[in-house]
Every structure is written in structure tokens, then in C-alpha cells.
Amino acid sequence: MIKYCDIKGITRSFEPQLSEAVNRVIASGWYILGNECKDFEQQFAQYCGCRHCIGTANGLDALTIIMLAYKELGVMQQGDEVIVPANTYIASILAILQAGLKPVLCEPTWESCNIDPERIEALITPRTKAIMAVHLYGRCANIDHIEKIARRHSLKIIEDSAQAHGAITGGRRTGNLGDASAFSFYPGKNLGALGDGGAITTNDNELAQTARTIANYGSQKKYVNLYKGVNSRLDEIQAAILAVKLQRLDTDNGRRMDIAAAYNAGISNPHITLPMAGKREEHVYHIYPIFCKQREQLRQHLLENEIETLIHYPVPPHKQQALKEFENLELPITERIHNEELSLPCHPAMSDNEVQKVIEAVNAFSIQG
Ligand SMILES: *Cc1c(COP(=O)(O)O)cnc(C)c1O
């Protein structure tokens, strides 16, 4: 069976460095807010080309804390609006709600699966304070266009970079494309911990300090609380693991890009639409999505050929019971993506032979009945 994502294989490929890092932390006797976290934050900020990095417990918290910090700084008020792509993973939208703000759902373009900048301005109201640019599947959102709109209307750009560690557009990496950016280090992400983890990056000194304080109980000095903060910290073991894995991120992303290039060149099937081909550096292929009206048949066919696939995502956020208040929105492009998307295996531990098997099996798919 070709697994969708071979986390075990990926972890093994970093040994013995990972075990050494974990053992070093165990022996140190210091497990929260120590030098491992500080070192990783510094390395990741430098990698992104950004002034600040603040470790958090996960990606959802990273997003939420950015907006809580903007509220503490008076940039946003309770009930203000944030424009967000409708076809994102639900975390982007939940973060806005958890921060006491209002998500305003925007259609993506079918080609990019990222927010359609042409549709943003029609959604702007006097209460709009930010645009959330989600780099979905690992592809950079159209940041040039989003920047122009944000500048014209004095809006913040918050990046959801949870799927796009290391992607580059216009010479800048994700994490450094907006006013603040959130990353997830969930194990399956391009840079993944062996547990939960996340980070905020920004060049804004005030925002960085406020976010760091909020993430640590609203406290800068022990037992002195400035804000009603949260407990969301990147622990020392995860930070040490991430520092090891960061060293190979560009190489691993390069492998994902090579696999995607092989799929782009090798898959040719009239029933299947491939993802838009763009500049190589702009897409780090956290996910390699293909689109097929007969998705269930295709999924079954690939399973019979011992290829595991996933769907990102089967139900769009506005059709989730949790977000019933959005159920009447008309979002046909979002719904089409959710109906037709199928994710092929695409990860650094895949062999060329496996990639070839996937291509052959996808090309052999035909419609029954
Ligand atoms: C994974 C992910 C998140 C949330 O990250 P967690 O670490 O799981 O909280 C947010 N946004 C997107 C687009 C994601 O893929």
C-alpha cells in the first residue's frame, strides 16, 4: 500500500538526530520556555526572513493570538470583520470567531483554490479590519493583489501559513508576506513536530511583544498579568525536534515539488483536472490536489491499486453544523472544490517507483457505467 503520508518513514529519516535532541531536553530538566524554544524561534524567524517568531501550542492558537493581540493594541474591536477564503480548513474561521471577530467568507478562484482578490472589495465594510490570506495546499495566495487592496482600505493582512512553510513569492517567504503570519507544526505539515506546535511570525515589534505576552497567560513577569491571556506555548521537546527538521525543510519541499512536477507531466486523463501550474517556488505542495467529478469512483479505483488518498476537505466550513449561521451563503466555487478534490500521496519519503505507480494508476482510471 502506498500511504497518503508516511509520517513514520519521515520521522525515521531524521534519526538519530531526533532522539538525540529529545534526550538532550529530557536530561536538561527544563521543559517549557527555555533555550530550545528561543533557539528555534530565532532560526525560524531567520528562515522566514522575519524579525520575530513566537512559538505557540498549535496553529489555531497562533492565528487566534494574532487577532487577540490586535484587539489589545486597539487595532481591532469586538465584532470587527475579517475576510477569509470560504474553502479553507475550518481552523482559519474558528480562530476569527475565538478572537471575538466576524468571519466574512470569500470565494476562491477555481484555478488557484486561494482567495479571489477580485471578490474581496465587494465584501469590505466599515468594520472590516483584516484579510486572512490562506496559502491553501502550500500555494502562496496572490499576495501582490491582496496587498494593493489592503493598502487602499487600511486593512491588516494575516497569513495562514499552516500549509505553506517555506513557499516563496516575489522573493519573500510565507511568514513575511503580511502583517502577521500563523504556522502549524502538526505532525503532517511540511514542517511537523512529533505532537502539536505552532508559531507566529511578524516584523511588528509591538504585535510580537503583545502576542508573546498573551500566549503566556498575559504575563511578561511571573505573577503579573497584563491581559486575560491564554496558555499556548511551544514546549522544549517540540522546539528541539523542529530545529532538527528545519534544517532539511528546503530539501524536503524540493522533493515535494519534484513529485508534483512528475505528476503534472505524467498524469493525463480526460476525467481529471490537475492543479494550476505556477512558479515552482510558489507552491510547496503540502497537498497535491486533483479534481474529478467522479471522485468516489476514482478514490475506490486508486484504493484497489493500493494507493491511499485523502479529501481536503469533504465538507466546506459553511456546511458544517458548527457554522450553521453561514449555511445559506452561496459559494458555488467553494462547493465545487469540496465536491471534486482528491489529494494524491506527495511527501518526501515517497520513492520514484511509488510516484510512477500513482501516475499509472491515475491514468488507468476510466468511468464505469
Ligand atoms: C493545520 C491548519 C491549521 C491549524 O493548525 P493546528 O496546528 O492543527 O491547530 C490552520 N489552518 C490551516 C489552513 C491548516 O491546514
Side-chain angles (χ1 to χ4, degrees), residues 90 313-325 327:
I90 196 167
Y313 299 87
V315 180
H318 72 287
K319 294 296 179 194
Q320 297 284 358
Q321 190 183 322
L323 298 177
K324 267 207 289 283
E325 61 268 43
E327 71 184 343

Side-chain angles (χ1 to χ4, degrees), residues 58-60 63 88-89 91-92 134 160 162-163 184 186 189 197 313:
N58 54 66
L60 173 63
L63 277 169
T88 185
Y89 177 55
S92 319
V134 182
D160 180 341
Q163 301 189 355
S184 163
Y186 180 80
K189 300 290 163 90
Y313 299 87

Side-chain angles (χ1 to χ4, degrees), residues 260-290:
Y263 286 160
N264 289 341
I267 296 174
S268 123
N269 185 321
H271 304 297
I272 289 162
T273 305
L274 298 181
M276 173 179 100
K279 282 203 193 117
R280 181 177 161 99
E281 62 188 14
E282 287 187 353
H283 201 329
V284 291
Y285 288 100
H286 173 56
I287 286 165
Y288 185 93
I290 61 175

Side-chain angles (χ1 to χ4, degrees), residues 17-211:
Q17 287 85 351
L18 287 184
S19 292
E20 284 166 9
V22 170
N23 286 332
R24 179 180 72 235
V25 180
I26 291 172
S28 77
W30 195 278
Y31 307 120
I32 299 278
L33 292 184
N35 288 331
E36 301 285 349
C37 181
K38 211 177 284 171
D39 289 348
F40 171 71
E41 286 176 342
Q42 201 207 328
Q43 290 161 30
F44 195 62
Q46 190 177 12
Y47 176 82
C48 296
C50 228
R51 205 174 297 153
H52 305 283
C53 171
I54 299 112
T56 61
N58 54 66
L60 173 63
D61 283 1
L63 277 169
T64 307
I65 291 166
I66 289 169
M67 291 176 275
L68 291 175
Y70 276 132
K71 284 173 82 182
E72 293 294 352
L73 291 169
V75 174
M76 296 178 183
Q77 317 286 334
Q78 187 78 11
D80 278 346
E81 296 167 9
V82 177
I83 296 172
V84 59
N87 62 316
T88 185
Y89 177 55
I90 196 167
S92 319
I93 294 165
L94 291 178
I96 298 168
L97 290 166
Q98 284 188 8
L101 304 171
K102 190 181 157 205
V104 175
L105 275 51
C106 182
E107 283 269 70
T109 75
W110 166 249
E111 290 74 25
S112 73
C113 295
N114 277 329
I115 196 165
D116 183 353
E118 301 285 351
R119 294 171 188 260
I120 292 175
E121 279 189 305
L123 300 174
I124 294 175
T125 75
R127 297 219 63 176
T128 308
K129 291 294 154 63
I131 302 167
M132 190 180 288
V134 182
H135 310 299
L136 199 72
Y137 303 148
R139 177 197 301 280
C140 291
N142 186 342
I143 207 75
D144 287 348
H145 198 155
I146 294 169
E147 247 173 23
K148 284 196 189 97
I149 297 166
R151 230 176 265 138
R152 201 177 305 142
H153 299 272
S154 301
L155 306 177
K156 297 290 183 195
I157 299 175
I158 299 168
E159 290 176 79
D160 180 341
S161 305
Q163 301 189 355
H165 319 66
I168 298 173
T169 185
R172 285 183 296 157
R173 280 194 201 275
T174 56
N176 190 27
L177 299 174
D179 294 284
S181 179
F183 288 89
S184 163
F185 305 123
Y186 180 80
K189 300 290 163 90
N190 289 33
L191 179 59
L194 304 186
D196 274 316
I200 296 165
T201 59
T202 181
N203 288 312
D204 181 333
N205 298 341
E206 255 194 324
L207 181 71
Q209 198 190 21
T210 309

